[in-house]
């Protein structure tokens, strides 16, 4: 079989070009129905292009004006429970996905006649993201578009659009960052709160290893179970945050206890010196 990288459209540019020209000259040509939409989910994202960026034929090179070339819209819808990825594009209406967090995303297409069957047919695309797989009702609409009549668009403005992605939700990102900051504070405390060099170095290694091991297990366990694209960053982030908070709380308590112990020793020494001075005076 073909090498994996060649088993894509990039590995078959002639076939893609021929198919693109065929669709444009038939369904999208003069007298064509112009009622085609391509739907895919393998890109692991929500994305929509109105057709201006989906043409890969040779009509432009053959002298046809871009204003006379029409191509079909493309809807990327997914994933329902996998890590996200940003592929292809640009997309005229952008795309939405999170690369380091499981995405629960889907789309609906509603076909209808605005004013009876004699009127112009319309297609409404809506894409949703569910924030929790255990609570399907917690969905938010991230994209909506209504197209009436022809679904095809001119490629005259090809190149307009984009495809941006995020790593994770703001809440999970905050947990990861705060855990990292607390870990650095813990390391700083280890060296500047009176611990010896060996103790401080040991505490620093523990902090760093706990951070790495927590996220390593969070990713590694699903990977070993054959579900690499299905790990959830939230539990690992929460556990890491709790660990770093515990470290800082322990060091803070240790520093307070050490300070109180030092004050007691100082008072004890003062009392002993005072008693010694009094004894000398009496003698």
């Amino acid at each position: 079989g073909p090498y994996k990288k060649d088993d894509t459209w990039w590995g078959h540019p002639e076939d893609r070009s021929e198919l693109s020209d065929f669709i444009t000259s038939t369904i999208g040509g003069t007298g064509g129905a112009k009622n085609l939409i391509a739907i895919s989910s393998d890109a692991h994202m929500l994305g929509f292009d109105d057709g201006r960026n989906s043409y890969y034929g040779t009509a432009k090179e053959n002298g046809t004006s871009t204003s006379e070339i029409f191509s079909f819209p493309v809807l990327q819808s997914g994933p329902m429970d996998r890590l996200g990825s940003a592929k292809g594009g640009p997309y005229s209406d952008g795309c939405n996905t999170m690369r380091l967090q499981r995405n629960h995303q889907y789309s609906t297409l509603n076909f209808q006649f605005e004013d009876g069957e004699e009127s112009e047919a319309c297609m409404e695309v809506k894409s949703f993201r569910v924030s929790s797989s255990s609570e399907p009702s917690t969905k938010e609409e991230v994209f909506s578009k209504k197209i009436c009549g022809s679904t095809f668009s001119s490629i005259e403005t090809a190149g307009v659009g984009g495809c941006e992605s995020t790593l994770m939700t703001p809440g999970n990102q905050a947990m990861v960052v705060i855990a990292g900051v607390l870990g650095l504070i813990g390391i700083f405390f280890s060296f500047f709160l009176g611990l010896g060099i060996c103790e401080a170095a040991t505490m620093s290694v523990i902090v760093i290893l706990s951070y790495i091991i927590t996220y390593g297990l969070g990713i590694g366990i699903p990977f070993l179970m054959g579900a690499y694209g299905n790990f959830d960053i939230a539990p690992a982030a929460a556990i890491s945050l709790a660990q770093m908070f515990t470290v800082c709380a322990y060091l803070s308590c240790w520093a307070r206890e050490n300070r109180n112990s030092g004050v007691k020793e100082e008072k004890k020494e003062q009392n002993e010196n005072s008693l010694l001075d009094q004894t000398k005076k009496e003698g």
Side-chain angles (χ1 to χ4, degrees), residues 2-150:
Y3 178 61
K4 186 175 181 181
K5 283 190 175 181
D6 293 334
D7 194 21
T8 64
W9 280 123
W10 297 110
H12 307 275
E14 296 83 6
D15 296 328
R16 179 171 64 172
S17 176
E18 182 180 349
L19 180 59
S20 187
D21 276 329
F22 175 78
I23 293 174
T24 298
S25 63
T26 53
I27 302 175
T30 303
K34 294 186 175 66
N35 60 356
L36 174 69
I37 179 173
I39 304 174
S40 176
S41 63
D42 192 50
H44 286 201
M45 66 182 188
L46 294 175
F48 186 84
D49 184 76
D50 60 11
R52 71 184 70 185
N53 298 302
S54 67
Y55 178 72
Y56 290 90
T58 59
K60 292 185 295 182
E61 288 75 10
N62 294 334
T64 305
S65 171
T66 54
S67 62
E68 299 175 359
I69 303 174
F70 294 83
S71 193
F72 55 90
V74 176
L75 171 65
Q76 297 281 1
S77 182
M80 297 189 73
D81 190 24
R82 285 291 184 275
L83 298 180
S85 62
K87 299 178 182 178
Y91 295 86
S92 61
D93 292 85
C95 59
N96 292 272
T97 192
M98 293 179 290
R99 300 194 303 275
L100 293 181
Q101 186 170 325
R102 286 160 62 184
N103 295 261
H104 311 292
Q105 303 180 148
Y106 69 96
S107 301
T108 62
L109 278 76
N110 183 33
F111 300 91
Q112 61 187 13
F113 292 98
E114 291 293 277
D115 300 304
E117 294 185 5
E118 300 300 323
S119 63
E120 194 172 46
C122 294
M123 174 183 67
E124 186 175 27
V125 181
K126 289 186 177 182
S127 295
F128 302 90
R129 173 182 292 142
V130 179
S131 57
S132 172
S133 59
S134 60
E135 298 181 23
S137 60
T138 59
K139 68 178 182 180
E140 60 174 316
E141 183 179 307
V142 297
F143 172 77
S144 178
K145 194 176 187 71
K146 191 173 187 177
I147 303 174
C148 293
S150 170

Side-chain angles (χ1 to χ4, degrees), residues 101 167-182 211 215 233-234 237-238 240-241:
Q101 186 170 325
L167 293 177
M168 60 192 78
T169 61
N172 287 340
Q173 192 166 350
M175 284 197 293
V176 172
V177 172
I178 293 174
V181 171
L182 289 177
Y211 196 83
Y215 286 103
I233 198 71
S240 179
L241 179 60

Side-chain angles (χ1 to χ4, degrees), residues 234-252:
I239 292 172
S240 179
L241 179 60
Q243 288 174 331
M244 297 303 108
F245 179 81
T246 302
V247 168
C248 289
Y250 166 78
L251 289 173
S252 178

